[in-house]
Amino acid sequence: GGLITLFALWGRWRRHRFLRTVEVVVLRDVEASRLGNKRDVRVFLPPGYHASNAHYEVLYVNDGQEVDALGLQETLARLTADRLIRPIIAVAIPTNDDRLREYGTSIAPNRTGLGDLAADYEHFIIDELMPFIDGAFRTQPGATFTGVSLGGLSAFDIAWNNPDRFATVGVMSGSFWWRAADDETRIDPGRRIAHSLVRRATAPPSSRFWFQAGTRDEVSDQDGDGVIDAIQDTLELIDTLRRAGCPAGDVAYVEVDGGRHDFETWRRVLPAFLTWASTPEPARRRG
């Protein structure tokens, strides 16, 4: 009775106190000028942020309205306390009713016209949000971008287009099936857009890439080879990256047996991604 209730309350108090080691700052009505909208952006500051003059790496997260389901604050607090990651700033960017238009690939929409605002969303991230974050907080260059599903494709695309801004990208259950229209002229017509972008690379990629897919992400297997499309699209993108000259150590892949296309799965793998992203880059330096 009473003793059990007391222990439960004490446990909740300890967890609340632990979570508060990662402070949450809400930036109200951050404007995306080309998109003609505003959004509240949550910024997660690492433990000890106000007690030092240190500068921190920044993690940008698509679908920021879902970071509670992703367990971001608790994961950051635990991994930082256990010294499994370096202290970082995390920026949760929420989406809106135009998610299927803002997320995608900036070079072109897909064959059904989705992603037609992706270039304007990229402009918001690169030319408006990132300069604002860099001016308001003590940041380091070489950010990380991550996202799930279509938000993962968006993160990959923006990081790919801006390797000078992003050192690392992590994609969970990425929508790499995204295909160009058959009459597209800006990218390979009828082909998967992310794969086409990598095939067109004129130099080895300079970012690091982490991918995850689950064996139960979907059931579709269009070519009937026994491998679901979500896994095949991801593995073939990894192969394309390696053919483009990306070193093996700069590409990681986690396949979750029984993993689904849901936040329970993504929450479980988030620590693996953050830990990998926090490991030192190879000694090799690129020009």
Side-chain angles (χ1 to χ4, degrees), residues 25-41:
V25 177
V26 181
L27 307 177
R28 302 288 183 187
D29 294 328
V30 178
E31 183 175 8
S33 60
R34 289 190 186 177
L35 294 168
N37 58 39
K38 300 178 181 180
R39 63 199 78 198
D40 294 345
V41 175

Side-chain angles (χ1 to χ4, degrees), residues 239-258:
D239 182 62
T240 307
L241 281 165
R242 288 174 175 162
R243 289 175 182 271
C246 193
D250 283 0
V251 184
Y253 172 66
V254 173
E255 186 171 300
V256 180
D257 187 24

Side-chain angles (χ1 to χ4, degrees), residues 57-60 76 79 84-88 140-146 166-172 207-211 249-252 254 269-282:
E57 300 164 31
V58 185
L59 168 72
Y60 289 88
L76 290 173
L79 294 181
L84 295 174
I85 65 171
R86 296 184 293 274
I88 62 172
Q140 291 182 4
T144 296
F145 207 168
T146 192
F166 293 100
T168 307
V169 58
V171 181
M172 291 174 264
S207 300
R208 304 169 71 214
F209 304 90
W210 186 95
F211 301 96
D250 283 0
V251 184
V254 173
V269 300
L270 179 63
F273 165 60
L274 294 178
T275 303
W276 182 86
S278 191
T279 57
E281 294 186 51

Side-chain angles (χ1 to χ4, degrees), residues 32-37 39 96 98 101-102 117-124 128:
S33 60
R34 289 190 186 177
L35 294 168
N37 58 39
R39 63 199 78 198
N96 50 46
D98 281 334
R101 300 183 65 195
E102 291 186 1
L117 297 178
D120 293 328
Y121 181 71
E122 179 177 329
H123 175 269
F124 165 61
E128 295 178 317

Side-chain angles (χ1 to χ4, degrees), residues 51-240:
S52 76
N53 293 317
H55 287 68
Y56 299 90
E57 300 164 31
V58 185
L59 168 72
Y60 289 88
V61 186
N62 269 338
D63 281 311
Q65 76 284 354
E66 302 287 1
V67 291
D68 291 341
L70 192 59
L72 180 65
Q73 185 179 9
E74 182 171 354
T75 299
L76 290 173
R78 292 192 184 282
L79 294 181
T80 305
D82 292 341
R83 298 186 178 182
L84 295 174
I85 65 171
R86 296 184 293 274
I88 62 172
I89 296 170
V91 180
I93 314 157
T95 187
N96 50 46
D97 291 341
D98 281 334
R99 181 177 185 271
L100 295 178
R101 300 183 65 195
E102 291 186 1
Y103 287 176
T105 49
S106 63
I107 193 171
N110 78 354
R111 68 196 327 166
T112 61
L114 298 178
D116 60 304
L117 297 178
D120 293 328
Y121 181 71
E122 179 177 329
H123 175 269
F124 165 61
I125 298 296
I126 300 298
D127 296 304
E128 295 178 317
L129 181 61
M130 293 186 77
F132 183 85
I133 295 297
D134 290 340
F137 303 96
R138 300 191 308 274
T139 65
Q140 291 182 4
T144 296
F145 207 168
T146 192
V148 303
S149 192
L150 186 54
L153 173 67
S154 169
F156 176 86
D157 182 65
I158 293 173
W160 179 264
N161 296 334
N162 300 275
D164 57 320
R165 305 303 301 273
F166 293 100
T168 307
V169 58
V171 181
M172 291 174 264
S173 301
S175 298
F176 293 122
W177 53 267
W178 208 250
R179 290 181 180 273
D182 291 336
D183 59 352
E184 181 58 63
T185 58
R186 291 163 290 187
I187 196 68
D188 301 343
R191 307 290 290 277
R192 291 170 299 184
I193 298 178
H195 301 69
S196 296
L197 286 172
V198 175
R199 279 196 301 272
R200 290 183 169 211
T202 57
S206 59
S207 300
R208 304 169 71 214
F209 304 90
W210 186 95
F211 301 96
Q212 174 271 334
T215 59
R216 301 182 71 179
D217 251 316
E218 62 176 340
V219 296
S220 178
D221 177 15
Q222 294 189 30
D223 60 6
D225 65 352
V227 179
I228 61 171
D229 295 335
I231 290 177
Q232 185 166 335
D233 290 339
T234 301
L235 291 177
E236 290 179 355
L237 179 61
I238 290 172
D239 182 62
T240 307

